[in-house]
Amino acid sequence: MDIKTTFEESVAASKSLPNQSNENLLKLYSLYKQASEGDVNVEKPTNFFDFAAIAKFNAWESLKGVSKENAMQQYIDLVKSLGN
């Protein structure tokens, strides 16, 4: 099975994970965005009080330069570890 198929299966499996910490949710989000879109391609949120949007942006931006395939593998590994 190729990594893209395994990634898509992990994305589906992530929806049935037990409740996760905000830290784990940010990791999942940023790895998903990096794997599916590559480096961050949107402007940083300008509303200082939109903490969730800023945290998501920063988490995704922290993965700048990570290849899509590497991000897919990290996402797959994280979902596996959280499902145990």
Side-chain angles (χ1 to χ4, degrees):
M1 187 178 316
D2 70 339
I3 192 164
K4 187 167 171 92
T5 303
T6 306
F7 173 71
E8 290 168 357
E9 289 174 355
S10 293
V11 170
S14 73
K15 295 176 185 359
S16 62
L17 288 172
N19 287 341
Q20 297 296 319
S21 68
N22 286 341
E23 182 181 342
N24 286 340
L25 292 173
L26 275 174
K27 285 180 189 175
L28 287 168
Y29 171 83
S30 60
L31 287 169
Y32 175 82
K33 293 294 276 185
Q34 188 70 19
S36 58
E37 297 184 35
D39 288 344
V40 68
N41 57 8
V42 295
E43 294 293 318
K44 185 170 185 166
T46 55
N47 181 350
F48 177 76
F49 296 104
D50 192 350
F51 302 115
I54 292 169
K56 286 179 173 181
F57 177 88
N58 289 339
W60 184 12
E61 186 179 46
S62 74
L63 296 174
K64 186 174 184 176
V66 174
S67 71
K68 288 184 177 186
E69 292 77 17
N70 188 338
M72 283 183 197
Q73 188 60 55
Q74 288 183 51
Y75 186 94
I76 292 163
D77 294 342
L78 180 57
V79 170
K80 282 181 185 175
S81 73
L82 296 175
N84 292 335

